[in-house]
Amino acid sequence: MRAAIIDTLHFAAKLSLRKIWNYARLRWSFCFSILYRKSRHAGMPASLSVEPTTACNLGCPECPGGLKRFTRPQGAMPIKEFRNIIDQLKGDLVYLMLYFQGEPLLHPGIFDMFNYARENRIYTASSTNGHQLNDENARKIVESGPDRLIISVDGSDQEVYEKYRRGGDLETVTAGVKNVMKWKKELKSSTPFVIIQFLVFNHNEHQIPEMKELVKGLGADKLEIKTAQVYGFENDGALIPENPDYSRYSRGEEGLWKIKKPMRNHCFRMWSGAVITWDGRVVPCCFDKDAEHQLGLLADHSFKEIWRSKAYNEFRMKILKDRKRIDICRNCTE
C-alpha cells in the first residue's frame, strides 16, 4: 500500500497546469464528438507508447514479436529520434510507455531513454519479460529512473511458465526481480514501482494463489492479474480460462467465443494517445501490432501535423460510425 501511494505521488509530481488543461481539452473534445457524432479534437496526446525495438529473446505464441511474424520492418529506434519525439510532446505528455512490441531492455540505449524522459518530467513505464535483469542492468534501471517497471511472470513453476513464455527461464526472471528490489533498497530509491504481471490462460489460472505467494516472497510492489488477448478466439478457445472472471471472452449463442464487453462506437484512446514504432510510424493504438493503420511517418511530418491530419480525423470518424468494422478493434476490451 505504501509503495502504491508513493507511486501515485510520483505521478502527481510530474503534472503541470498545462498538462491538466491539455487533458481537460482532450476529454471535452471526446465528449463533444460522442454527443454530436462528429470528430472534433483539441489538445495533444496525454499518453504515448514508443517502441524501442522489435527484437525479442522469447517465442510467446500470441505475440507477433515472439513469433517473428511481423509484416513490417524490424529494428531499433535511434536515440536521436527518441529525443526528437520527447522534445515535440514533453509539454503536454503525462504518461510514456517505453514498450510496444519486442523486449525493450534489448535496446542498447534504453537507459538513456529512461534518463531523458525523467529529465523532461514525464511519468515513464516499461514492460519486460525479465530476462535482462542481471545485477548490472538492475542497478542501471534504478539509477536511470523509470517510474514503473512491469515484469511478466505467467507461472509459478517452470513447467507452467514456459507454456507461454517459450524459451524463458523462470529462475532467471525471479532472480532479476530480486536484483531490482535489492538496488532500490541499496540506492534508497522509491522507483521503479515494480509490478509482476500475470496473464491468465487456461493452463495457468489454477496458479493464482501460488503467484500471490511468489510475489510476496520476491518483495515486488504489486501483482497485476490481467486477462489475455487471444488471436483467433472465435473458433479456438484452448487458451481461454474456464473462470469467466479472468477471461475477455464468453460463449455466444452459436457456441463461438466472443468478446464479453459490448463494443461501443467510441474510444478515448483515439483522442488521448498514440503509438510510435521504432521507425517513426504513428499508429492509433497498441492493438495495431503490424502498423497496418499507419496515420503518418515522423520522417515526413511533425507529430502535431500527423495528429491534426485528415487521415487521423477520418480514422476517428470510423470509430464513431461503426467501430466493429475496424479489424484492430474486434479483439479490444476498451
Side-chain angles (χ1 to χ4, degrees), residues 201-222:
F201 296 102
N202 183 278
H203 63 263
N204 68 1
E205 61 182 314
H206 66 284
Q207 289 196 332
I208 291 175
E210 288 91 337
M211 282 301 303
K212 292 177 180 179
E213 292 302 315
L214 176 62
V215 171
K216 187 184 297 184
L218 293 173
D221 297 312
K222 180 182 178 183

Side-chain angles (χ1 to χ4, degrees), residues 1-98:
M1 178 63 75
R2 180 175 180 274
I5 293 172
I6 292 173
D7 179 54
T8 302
L9 293 175
H10 278 298
F11 180 83
K14 294 184 177 181
L15 294 175
S16 65
L17 288 176
R18 174 175 168 174
K19 291 180 180 182
I20 294 170
W21 172 240
N22 179 68
Y23 185 81
R25 294 177 71 204
L26 292 172
R27 273 289 174 189
W28 173 85
S29 61
F30 176 61
C31 293
F32 181 94
S33 299
I34 294 173
L35 182 62
Y36 292 99
R37 314 313 298 176
K38 292 182 179 180
S39 178
R40 294 291 183 270
H41 194 274
M44 293 296 287
S47 64
L48 186 72
S49 292
V50 173
E51 178 179 67
T53 179
T54 54
C56 190
N57 54 306
L58 299 186
C60 306
E62 293 295 309
C63 174
L67 293 172
K68 315 299 186 288
R69 291 181 182 171
F70 287 119
T71 59
R72 59 183 171 95
Q74 300 179 48
M77 179 175 284
I79 293 295
K80 181 181 178 181
E81 296 306 315
F82 174 74
R83 288 173 176 256
N84 180 47
I85 292 167
I86 297 304
D87 290 346
Q88 290 186 58
L89 300 176
K90 60 186 178 183
D92 301 296
L93 194 60
V94 175
Y95 181 89
L96 171 67
M97 170 57 82
L98 267 169

Side-chain angles (χ1 to χ4, degrees), residues 70-130:
F70 287 119
T71 59
R72 59 183 171 95
Q74 300 179 48
M77 179 175 284
I79 293 295
K80 181 181 178 181
E81 296 306 315
F82 174 74
R83 288 173 176 256
N84 180 47
I85 292 167
I86 297 304
D87 290 346
Q88 290 186 58
L89 300 176
K90 60 186 178 183
D92 301 296
L93 194 60
V94 175
Y95 181 89
L96 171 67
M97 170 57 82
L98 267 169
Y99 168 76
F100 177 34
Q101 296 297 292
E103 168 51 54
L105 296 186
L106 290 176
H107 192 293
I110 191 65
F111 305 114
D112 292 330
M113 291 179 170
F114 289 147
N115 266 314
Y116 198 66
R118 180 186 61 180
E119 290 170 4
N120 284 283
R121 299 188 60 77
I122 301 167
Y123 184 94
T124 304
S126 190
S127 181
T128 174
N129 60 45

